[in-house]
């Protein structure tokens, strides 16, 4: 467990210091992190801190106790898992949005008015029509599914080296893979606490703010972490985890444009409790397929 605590100390210490200091100086705690581009950049940079935390942990532990972070892609023999990592987040996101809008039909806007108005208001020439804006949404959705996952995979790699490359296998040295998923999911979710307080993902106007937002993020990270840990075990690589993480970040926001109130604590994105029902089901399926016995899963 020494390895675990060292990693948590480095990762939380560096990230929270960055986010909290930046949040105070930019006023993001009072006005929301979307109020300043600087805060958005700082949050994005924070995605690389788990990688730094993992590397520093290996340095502190010494050469003999260094953990294999599984940085090799290992594509051969694992193509199906890479394809799952690429496309499964889109399927889960769409299913989550369907569930959310079936339960909340009054919130569904088939015209994606929020996106259309955003595009038209940003056009200073007045040349963009509603039809053109709708076409742009189709193009953006296609980009989010096809290309954006590989772009987003780079910052997601910064997180996955830490969470699935270091924390999850380190926990597996003492606990079963199933227990390690639960613990790492809670840790990963709590890591987001400062930005959740700033309104990231859920805003600030919901009942129970910010506690319910943090708890919702913990549930999301545990479910998502179960799926990513399953990929990590099957492939012995963090790269498919990074691809799935990047794909999830790329497609999750599309459903927001079809919601008349934007993103909420319950959905329509998979980070919401209702929108996340399909993800929770998939995470449970992956969790059941992991080992119930404590063992090291890091290759030698």
């Amino acid at each position: 467990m020494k390895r675990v605590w060292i990693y948590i100390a480095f990762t939380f210490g560096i990230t929270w210091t960055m986010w909290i200091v930046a949040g105070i100086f930019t006023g993001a705690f009072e006005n929301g992190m979307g109020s300043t581009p600087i805060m958005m950049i700082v949050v994005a940079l924070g995605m690389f801190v788990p990688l730094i935390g993992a590397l520093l942990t290996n340095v502190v532990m010494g050469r003999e106790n260094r953990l294999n972070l599984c940085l090799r892609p290992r594509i051969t023999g694992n193509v199906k898992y890479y394809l799952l990592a690429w496309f499964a987040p889109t399927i889960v996101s769409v299913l989550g949005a369907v569930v959310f809008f079936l339960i909340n039909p009054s919130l569904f806007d088939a015209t994606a008015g929020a996106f259309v108005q955003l595009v038209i208001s940003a056009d200073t020439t007045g040349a963009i029509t509603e039809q053109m804006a709708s076409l742009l949404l189709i193009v953006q959705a296609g980009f989010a599914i096809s290309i954006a996952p590989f772009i987003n995979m780079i910052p997601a790699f910064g997180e996955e080296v830490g969470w699935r490359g270091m924390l999850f296998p380190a926990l597996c040295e003492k606990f079963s893979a199933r227990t390690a998923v639960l613990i790492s999911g809670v840790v990963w979710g709590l890591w987001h606490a400062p930005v959740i307080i700033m309104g990231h993902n859920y805003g600030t106007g919901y009942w129970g703010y910010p506690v319910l937002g943090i708890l919702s993020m913990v549930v999301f990270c545990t479910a998502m972490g179960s799926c990513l840990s399953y990929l990590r075990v099957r492939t012995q690589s963090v790269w498919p985890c990074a691809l799935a993480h990047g794909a999830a970040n790329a497609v999750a926001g599309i459903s927001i444009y079809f919601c008349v109130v934007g993103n909420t604590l319950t959905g329509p994105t998979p980070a919401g409790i209702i929108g996340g029902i399909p993800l929770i089901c998939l995470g449970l399926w992956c969790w059941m397929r992991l080992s119930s016995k404590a063992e090291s899963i890091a290759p030698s």
Side-chain angles (χ1 to χ4, degrees), residues 59-79:
V59 171
V60 172
M61 292 298 295
R63 184 179 297 273
E64 293 184 357
N65 296 312
R66 186 174 299 170
L67 191 66
N68 187 334
L69 300 176
C70 294
L71 302 182
R72 290 177 55 192
R74 299 182 183 272
I75 298 175
T76 303
N78 291 315
V79 172

Side-chain angles (χ1 to χ4, degrees), residues 203-245:
T204 60
Y206 55 89
W207 182 86
Y209 162 84
V211 175
L212 288 185
I214 295 172
L215 291 177
S216 294
M217 179 54 64
V218 168
V219 172
F220 168 74
C221 287
T222 302
M224 186 69 182
S226 178
C227 301
L228 298 177
S229 297
Y230 176 79
L231 289 173
R232 162 66 178 76
V233 170
R234 294 298 182 185
T235 65
Q236 291 296 302
S237 173
V238 297
W239 280 105
C241 306
L243 178 57
H245 190 154

